[in-house]
């Protein structure tokens, strides 16, 4: 880059020479430069640049225009810094030349000066003076998240160094920007407490709890609750009792875990032996641990007393990481067993890497998988956070992955998103490419359910690349299946067919019959969309025997539902009703609400009047709970038509208006570039 030139994107896009602005003519050249800068040191394909500059209907001269813009930018920046790198271009700027590169150098800093220097680079939102492309969103969101993490880190350093007052203003801004950010709330409460504003700290905790309960449906995690208890009891002096080594270790272990009321097997995992009852009894007698009864699974559970939660972190002989990981391994062992009792996962990596700790009576505890996940829900969410704090990415992503069948079956989308985003962040920080691929594949499926097709396509595509780099055929097959579904929903049936066929080939290579049955069912939908019911039936006739032989009732239900769609296309109403009813019965027995909703809405197509309205109303409730806007739109439209036909025009018009609103939001996603 010519001497004295500097590019800034952490705020408005600016090119400076010796501190003075350099004019950059035209919005599109600046958008192109911003796209390259966001991916500094990485090649950006010409096709990607065209999608940024012309999201819809690019001109025939698009490629030539890109070359023209690049030529003009190379004149400004220097040819060595903007290179042709097939299939596109690569910007090569160092820390002295790009504010983002300097931020990359400092965003892991812990000393105050470097933290201040990193955050001082930010002058606003990234590239805020240009129209944003949807393709920028992942990079921009990652940058904003890194900035927030660094602001939290600076606040943490200030509090620990005695400058809590200097942290309060920025922490207030952080919780205002994202009220569901629990760590920022915890730091704000800590800062207020450290400055002697106890009443304000208690009020802030109440605000945090309200946002978390109303926004996520979850209580604050143990670290924030422990801080709250310390505020309530800080005037109560506690004399530490005499504890032997095992008791002190167990007590501190309970405190550091922060998983809430713990089942008794956790005590065994902490000490890595079975004969722990005497130690546990001594803590109960000393009123440091109290029994809180049995849970719905019949497990005795224990909780630290308020005094012990304050005392435990100060005990000698701190618990090592291996001890905490044994408990996490125990929960992962149980979660894996419970997951195997739910509908089979077909989009996994085909292997596990995290160490398990064998929990006594594990088979008995997980014999009702849904009940086990429901009882341990809070502990599992806290376990993912703990794994992330420990930097154990393999534990974080395996927890997210093993929870997925329960999240999918019950429509627990908040837990799905929380666990996968936490795991993804941890994997990126630690360079865990396998965990990143698994987390991206899981988030892609959630985006697909929410009709965020652009985000889904990106997540699936990045997961596929990561799996391909690892040579993981299982994972690549699942990522291709996801991409096929995005193409199918968007109406690109050729691309969908190609993805599904490649996924099928991979599933055949690894011998995964569950995956093969899934892809045959997906291919049936492609053939149906192509108005070829004969080929659709052929695909189903290949998949249904596989699913039946595997006794995979969940897949059988999906394939029966698709068989009903084929029968409807052939005007075989009686046969279609039989297929939908059989699929509905299976989905109901399994507890798959999403599958039930689609069967209910399709059965309603074969009915009129009250019967159809009843089915559709129930389906709409499920679609709304899950966030399936496409399902909501189709169901609301049908309800509107039925109510108008019955003379309830005002109600019908209201449903139809809602359907139009939903349709416009879904249409935006359907037409957004992949």
């Amino acid at each position: 880059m010519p001497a004295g030139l500097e590019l800034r994107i952490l705020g408005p896009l600016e090119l400076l020479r010796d501190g003075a602005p350099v004019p950059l003519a035209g919005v599109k050249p600046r958008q192109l430069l911003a796209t390259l800068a966001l991916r500094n040191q990485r090649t950006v394909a010409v096709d990607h640049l065209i999608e940024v500059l012309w999201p819809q209907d690019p001109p025939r001269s698009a490629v030539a225009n890109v070359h023209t813009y690049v030529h003009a930018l190379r004149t400004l920046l220097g040819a060595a810094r903007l290179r042709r790198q097939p299939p596109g271009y690569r910007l090569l700027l160092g820390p002295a030349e790009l504010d983002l590169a300097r931020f990359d150098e400092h965003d892991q800093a812990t000393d105050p000066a470097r933290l201040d220097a990193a955050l001082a680079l930010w002058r606003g939102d990234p590239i805020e003076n240009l129209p944003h492309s949807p393709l920028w969103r992942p990079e921009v969101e990652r940058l904003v998240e890194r900035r927030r993490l660094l602001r939290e880190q600076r606040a943490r350093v200030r509090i620990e160094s005695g400058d809590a007052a200097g942290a309060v203003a920025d922490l207030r801004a952080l919780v205002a920007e994202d009220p569901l950010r629990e760590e920022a709330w915890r730091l704000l409460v800590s800062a207020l407490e450290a400055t002697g504003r106890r009443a304000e700290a208690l009020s802030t905790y109440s605000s945090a709890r309200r946002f978390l309960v109303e926004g996520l449906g979850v209580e604050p995690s143990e670290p924030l609750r422990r801080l709250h208890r310390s505020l309530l009891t800080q005037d109560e002096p506690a004399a530490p009792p005499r504890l032997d080594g095992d008791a002190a270790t167990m007590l501190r272990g309970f405190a550091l875990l922060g998983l809430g009321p713990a089942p008794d097997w956790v005590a065994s995992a902490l000490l890595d032996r079975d004969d722990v009852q005497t130690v546990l009894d001594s803590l109960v007698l000393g009123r440091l641990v109290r029994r809180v009864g049995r849970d719905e699974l019949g497990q005795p559970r224990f909780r630290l007393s308020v005094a012990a939660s304050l005392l435990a972190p100060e005990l000698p002989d701190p618990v090592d990481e291996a001890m905490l990981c044994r408990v996490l391994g125990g929960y992962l062992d149980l979660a894996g067993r419970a997951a195997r009792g739910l509908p089979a996962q077909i989009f996994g990596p085909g292997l596990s890497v995290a160490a398990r700790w064998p929990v006594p009576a594990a088979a008995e505890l997980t014999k009702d998988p849904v009940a086990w996940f429901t009882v341990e829900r809070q502990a599992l969410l806290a376990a993912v956070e703990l794994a992330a704090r420990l930097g154990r990415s393999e534990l974080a992503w395996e927890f997210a992955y093993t929870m997925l069948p329960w999240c999918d079956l019950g429509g627990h989308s908040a837990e799905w998103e929380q666990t996968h985003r936490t795991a993804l962040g941890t994997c990126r920080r630690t360079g865990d490419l396998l965990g990143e691929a698994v987390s991206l594949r899981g988030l892609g499926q959630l985006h697909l359910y929410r009709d965020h097709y652009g985000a889904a396509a990106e997540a699936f595509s990045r997961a596929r690349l990561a799996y391909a780099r690892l040579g993981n055929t299982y994972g690549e097959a699942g990522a291709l299946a996801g991409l096929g579904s995005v193409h199918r929903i968007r109406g690109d049936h050729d691309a969908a067919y190609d993805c599904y066929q490649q996924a099928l080939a991979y599933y055949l290579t690894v011998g995964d019959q569950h995956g093969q049955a899934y892809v045959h069912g997906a291919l049936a939908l492609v053939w149906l969309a192509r108005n070829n019911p004969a080929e659709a039936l052929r695909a189903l006739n290949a998949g249904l025997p596989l699913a039946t032989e595997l006794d995979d009732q969940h897949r059988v239900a999906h394939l029966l539902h698709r068989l009903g769609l084929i029968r409807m296309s052939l005007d075989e109403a009686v046969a279609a009703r039989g297929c939908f009813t059989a699929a509905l019965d299976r989905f109901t027995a399994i507890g798959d609400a999403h599958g039930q909703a689609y069967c209910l809405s399709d059965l309603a197509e074969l009915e009129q009047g009250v019967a159809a309205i009843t089915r559709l109303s129930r389906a709409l409730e499920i679609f709304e709970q899950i966030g399936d806007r496409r399902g909501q739109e189709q169901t609301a439209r049908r309800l509107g038509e039925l109510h108008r036909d019955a003379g309830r025009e005002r109600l019908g018009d209201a449903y139809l208006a809602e359907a139009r609103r939903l349709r416009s939001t879904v249409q935006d996603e359907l037409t957004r570039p992949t």
Side-chain angles (χ1 to χ4, degrees):
M1 179 176 285
L5 273 183
E6 177 191 10
L7 180 62
R8 297 179 179 178
I9 64 171
L10 299 179
L13 176 76
E14 292 180 349
L15 184 64
L16 305 176
R17 177 180 288 114
D18 298 326
V22 175
L24 288 169
V27 171
K28 293 196 183 302
R30 285 182 288 151
Q31 284 183 307
L32 187 148
L33 180 57
T35 305
L36 294 170
L38 283 170
R39 299 191 175 191
N40 183 44
Q41 306 287 341
R42 290 179 285 167
T43 300
V44 182
V46 170
D47 288 346
H48 184 92
L49 294 170
I50 290 172
E51 288 185 41
V52 170
L53 302 183
W54 296 279
Q56 296 178 345
D57 301 321
R60 292 182 178 179
S61 60
V63 173
N65 290 350
V66 167
H67 294 326
T68 300
Y69 299 154
V70 169
H71 177 75
L73 290 172
R74 295 179 80 182
T75 302
L76 279 175
L77 304 176
R81 294 296 185 269
L82 181 46
R83 295 182 181 175
R84 175 75 173 135
Q85 186 79 39
Y89 295 92
R90 179 180 295 188
L91 192 64
L92 297 166
L93 302 182
E97 303 159 338
L98 178 65
D99 57 356
L100 173 56
R102 288 201 297 285
F103 181 73
D104 286 338
E105 284 192 327
H106 294 300
D107 74 342
Q108 299 297 321
T110 56
D111 67 277
R114 288 187 65 194
L115 289 168
D116 288 339
L119 290 168
L121 295 169
W122 287 77
R123 298 163 292 111
D125 292 328
I127 327 172
E128 66 182 22
N129 59 337
L130 284 177
H132 268 227
S133 164
L135 299 181
W136 291 354
R137 184 169 58 187
E139 300 291 340
V140 169
E141 287 179 352
R142 278 194 292 274
L143 278 174
V144 171
E145 175 63 14
R146 287 167 58 194
R147 182 192 184 197
R148 287 173 177 165
L149 288 170
L150 208 64
R151 289 164 70 188
E152 290 177 356
Q153 174 65 7
R154 182 173 65 176
R156 196 176 295 112
V157 169
R158 284 177 171 172
I159 294 169
E160 292 171 357
S161 64
D163 182 26
V168 170
D170 197 30
L171 287 169
R172 288 196 189 282
L174 271 172
V175 298
E177 291 165 13
D178 187 356
L180 303 182
R181 198 174 187 87
E182 186 169 353
E183 179 60 11
W185 283 110
R186 189 189 70 79
L187 289 168
L188 179 55
V189 173
S190 298
L192 291 170
E193 178 192 23
T195 56
R197 295 144 76 176
R198 181 184 177 192
E200 195 172 350
L202 286 167
S203 174
T204 299
Y205 172 85
S206 298
S207 298
R209 181 181 181 278
R210 184 177 70 254
F211 278 114
L212 292 170
V213 170
E214 293 178 356
L216 296 177
V218 299
E219 289 288 337
S221 66
E222 183 59 20
L224 185 52
R225 295 202 305 271
R226 186 163 59 243
L227 180 57
H228 180 234
R229 291 195 298 268
S230 75
L231 290 169
L232 295 174
T233 62
Q234 63 184 218
D235 295 330
E236 302 174 11
R242 293 182 178 275
L243 297 174
D244 63 25
D246 284 344
T249 298
M250 185 182 292
L251 189 65
R252 183 174 172 87
F254 274 128
L256 294 181
L257 282 169
L259 302 182
D264 56 356
W265 66 260
V266 169
S268 296
L270 286 171
L271 299 186
D272 199 20
R273 66 174 201 255
D274 294 333
D275 57 331
V276 297
Q277 193 59 50
T278 301
V279 180
L280 194 53
D281 288 344
S282 70
L283 293 176
V284 172
L285 288 171
R287 297 185 179 180
L288 295 172
V289 169
R290 62 187 181 90
R291 294 186 175 92
V292 292
R294 293 180 178 269
D295 59 28
E296 291 86 341
L297 303 173
Q299 298 178 107
R301 297 188 91 96
F302 300 85
R303 180 194 291 276
L304 286 183
S305 68
V306 173
S309 67
L310 303 178
L311 168 67
E314 307 304 324
L315 292 171
D317 301 321
V319 177
D320 61 11
E321 183 177 307
M323 178 178 296
L324 299 179
C325 288
R326 279 198 299 273
V327 177
L328 294 179
Y331 266 111
L332 190 55
D333 176 61
L334 292 168
R337 289 172 179 271
R340 288 193 290 274
L342 296 175
Q345 292 202 65
I346 53 175
F347 303 129
L351 76 163
S352 60
V353 295
R356 269 67 168 169
W357 189 84
V359 176
E364 179 66 21
L365 288 174
T366 57
K367 64 182 180 182
D368 184 340
V370 173
W372 185 85
F373 274 113
T374 303
V375 167
E376 298 291 4
R377 169 181 170 275
Q378 288 291 352
L380 291 170
L381 294 176
V384 177
E385 298 295 333
L386 176 57
R389 290 198 300 275
L390 293 173
R392 301 300 295 263
S393 59
E394 77 284 6
L395 285 164
W397 73 255
E398 286 211 46
F399 269 120
Y401 176 69
T402 53
M403 289 178 67
L404 215 161
W406 174 73
C407 292
D408 193 4
L409 195 65
H412 304 292
S413 56
E415 290 86 346
W416 187 334
E417 181 169 22
Q418 180 182 339
T419 53
H420 277 71
R421 289 203 180 280
T422 299
L424 180 60
T426 306
C427 292
R428 284 175 172 162
R429 288 195 301 274
T430 59
D432 185 340
L433 187 60
L434 176 62
E436 185 172 346
V438 175
S439 302
L440 283 168
R441 179 58 183 82
L443 283 171
Q445 194 69 28
L446 184 61
H447 290 317
L448 190 65
Y449 284 171
R450 291 173 168 175
D451 307 300
H452 298 155
Y453 305 120
E458 179 177 358
F460 291 141
S461 182
R462 291 172 61 194
R464 179 196 178 183
L465 176 59
Y467 278 129
R469 288 172 60 192
L470 293 165
N472 187 303
T473 306
Y474 273 102
E476 196 172 351
L480 281 163
L483 281 170
S485 295
V486 175
H487 290 308
R488 177 177 56 78
I489 293 170
R490 284 179 150 177
D492 190 348
H493 303 134
D494 291 341
Y497 182 83
D498 290 343
C499 286
Y500 287 143
Q501 285 287 13
Q502 196 169 352
L504 180 59
Y506 287 166
Y507 281 131
L508 286 166
T509 299
V510 298
D512 185 342
Q513 292 184 313
H514 288 283
Q516 294 169 41
Y518 169 85
V519 176
H520 285 305
L523 285 168
L525 291 178
V526 173
W527 286 117
L528 191 58
R530 288 171 161 177
N531 296 315
N532 192 332
E535 286 295 334
L537 275 172
R538 242 189 297 276
L540 276 184
N541 287 334
L544 196 52
L546 277 176
T548 303
E549 182 180 350
L550 293 166
D551 195 26
D552 184 347
Q553 292 301 310
H554 191 238
R555 187 56 42 206
V556 169
H558 277 292
L559 296 175
L560 284 172
H561 173 247
R562 287 162 196 187
L563 183 57
L565 295 175
I566 295 171
R567 295 304 181 197
M568 278 187 69
S569 74
L570 296 170
D571 294 325
E572 298 174 4
V574 174
R577 181 188 297 276
C579 292
F580 291 145
T581 302
L584 178 60
D585 290 343
R586 284 170 170 78
F587 281 130
T588 303
I590 296 166
D592 184 340
H594 207 173
Q596 292 175 53
Y598 276 109
C599 288
L600 288 167
S601 60
D602 288 327
L603 278 168
E605 290 292 325
L606 302 171
E607 298 168 336
Q608 293 292 329
V610 174
I613 288 173
T614 300
R615 290 191 190 275
L616 289 168
S617 298
R618 175 56 185 147
L620 185 59
E621 290 175 5
I622 297 172
F623 287 136
E624 288 174 344
Q625 175 193 349
I626 294 168
D628 183 337
R629 290 176 295 164
R630 200 159 58 102
Q632 291 178 60
E633 182 267 324
Q634 294 168 353
T635 309
R637 175 174 47 78
R638 178 72 173 133
L639 278 168
E641 294 167 351
L642 287 169
H643 281 296
R644 283 184 63 86
D645 290 346
R648 295 182 287 272
E649 293 190 0
R650 288 180 58 186
L651 183 56
D653 288 344
Y655 273 116
L656 291 171
E658 176 66 1
R660 287 192 295 273
R661 182 191 69 80
L662 289 163
R663 179 61 182 168
S664 66
T665 64
V666 173
Q667 193 63 37
D668 289 344
E669 289 286 347
L670 287 170
T671 57
R672 184 172 294 170
T674 302

